[in-house]
Amino acid sequence: MASGNMKDIKRRIRSVESTMQITKAMELVASSKLRRAKERVEQVRPYFYALQETVSRVLRENRFSSVYTEQRAVKKSLFVVIAGDRGLAGGYNAGVLKLATAEMADKQVSVLTIGKKAQEYFGKRSYEVLADYPGVAESMTISEIHPITADLLARFRAGEIDEIYLCYTAFVSPMTQEPRVVRLLPAVSADDSKVTDKKQGLVECDPSPETVLNAIIPEYISGTIYGAVVESYASEQSARRMAMESASDNASEMIESLNLSYNRARQAAITQEITEIVAGSGAVGG
């Protein structure tokens, strides 16, 4: 009986050890990808903040009318949702998808998804999906964003959609990822921009503020979406690294517990064998 129990424990130990090898390997891969992703984030952020600040200053310091700033009755909203291409990343995918779904409540929406998990999530539900872009986050360039932006802006100018939102996960630190939603259009002045320089003078726009804004907006939208893709990818790798590290630690603890159970079962088996030998020798001697 004890022998059978020992075999089961040994089988479980081998199974957990195999699982731990996989989680360790995935942790190392995620760590390697995270280093490269962090470099991309650090390169993109200054560009993103510069675009944000330029648009904000043009809007803040000039009064004019533009199709991109017009506040109109919202009949239909478009959500650009960025999630991961794979699972095993803790609550990364669930967090941004839950936030996006909450923001879509009580709205007539269309969805553009970036990432396989977002594609699967909205494809199984009653949402109008304009386009899907799975498996592109790791290698996507800003030039690949431009056609997406052109289509979104054409729909916005034509009145097919009245506002555009972006849902992504911000890379705060290797230990912290924060799901966020921002409104891209209609454009408004961001008074809390992270790159505001109060020493700068007034912005003079030539030939006109409207012309300048209309020229900047496509680059601003493209830069913002690209920045969100980069931040989301770094967040995914960070979340996966932490999840795999936690899984490896749990597997190690489980192996220790199983080894303790195995040693106890082995001791019990040895004790039983000694007892049987003693009992047998006593019977023979008697």
Side-chain angles (χ1 to χ4, degrees):
M1 194 72 177
S3 177
N5 188 37
M6 289 168 60
K7 289 181 180 178
D8 291 339
I9 295 174
K10 267 294 186 185
R11 192 180 300 113
R12 288 194 62 191
I13 290 174
R14 287 194 295 269
S15 176
V16 175
E17 286 176 341
S18 298
T19 301
M20 188 169 69
Q21 288 178 351
I22 295 172
T23 57
K24 277 288 187 182
M26 293 183 68
E27 179 187 346
L28 293 174
V29 171
S31 296
S32 176
K33 290 184 176 181
L34 177 59
R35 284 193 293 271
R36 296 194 296 269
K38 283 176 63 179
E39 292 175 359
R40 288 178 68 195
V41 169
E42 292 169 357
Q43 293 170 356
V44 167
R45 277 179 176 170
Y47 173 70
F48 164 67
Y49 290 145
L51 282 173
Q52 185 185 48
E53 174 64 9
T54 301
V55 171
S56 180
R57 293 191 67 203
V58 170
L59 292 173
R60 187 167 59 243
E61 299 174 8
N62 298 274
R63 293 187 177 277
F64 58 92
S65 176
S66 169
V67 66
Y68 296 126
T69 61
E70 177 186 357
Q71 302 291 328
R72 56 200 189 199
V74 178
K75 298 178 183 178
K76 194 165 189 178
S77 304
L78 172 68
F79 282 77
V80 179
V81 183
I82 304 172
D85 290 304
R86 299 177 181 85
L88 299 177
Y92 165 76
N93 290 306
V96 69
L97 294 174
K98 181 179 180 181
L99 176 62
T101 304
E103 291 291 332
M104 293 176 187
D106 302 323
K107 291 183 179 181
Q108 184 69 26
V109 302
S110 296
V111 185
L112 185 150
T113 67
I114 298 177
K116 187 175 180 181
K117 291 300 178 180
Q119 177 189 36
E120 293 174 350
Y121 182 86
F122 291 103
K124 296 176 181 178
R125 291 164 175 80
S126 57
Y127 291 96
E128 178 186 357
V129 180
L130 294 183
D132 295 309
Y133 297 90
V136 298
E138 183 174 3
S139 59
M140 179 174 265
T141 62
I142 194 167
S143 61
E144 295 172 331
I145 300 287
H146 288 150
I148 301 175
T149 300
D151 180 58
L152 297 183
L153 294 181
R155 292 176 184 273
F156 184 82
R157 290 192 299 267
E160 296 179 23
I161 51 179
D162 303 300
E163 58 181 1
I164 300 176
Y165 287 90
L166 175 63
C167 297
Y168 71 105
T169 305
F171 179 75
V172 180
S173 73
M175 301 296 293
T176 307
Q177 304 84 43
E178 181 181 321
R180 293 179 182 174
V181 57
V182 295
R183 191 175 75 166
L184 299 179
L185 292 177
V188 294
S189 173
D191 294 328
D192 60 345
S193 175
K194 297 182 179 180
V195 202
T196 299
D197 186 352
K198 296 182 179 179
K199 294 182 180 179
Q200 292 179 336
L202 293 175
V203 175
E204 295 184 6
C205 301
D206 186 29
S208 69
E210 181 179 357
T211 303
V212 171
L213 182 70
N214 290 344
I216 292 176
I217 283 293
E219 296 300 325
Y220 165 67
I221 300 298
S222 295
T224 302
I225 294 176
Y226 179 68
V229 170
V230 171
E231 295 248 355
S232 294
Y233 180 74
S235 297
E236 179 186 1
Q237 299 307 319
S238 180
R240 180 168 294 112
R241 186 196 65 78
M242 289 192 299
M244 293 301 99
E245 181 181 16
S246 177
S248 297
D249 292 342
N250 291 337
S252 179
E253 292 177 4
M254 186 177 294
I255 289 172
E256 290 181 8
S257 177
L258 288 171
N259 279 327
L260 182 60
S261 298
Y262 175 81
N263 290 333
R264 286 175 177 171
R266 182 168 175 270
Q267 186 64 44
I270 293 172
T271 302
Q272 182 178 354
E273 289 177 2
I274 293 174
T275 302
E276 291 174 352
I277 291 171
V278 170
S281 62
V284 171

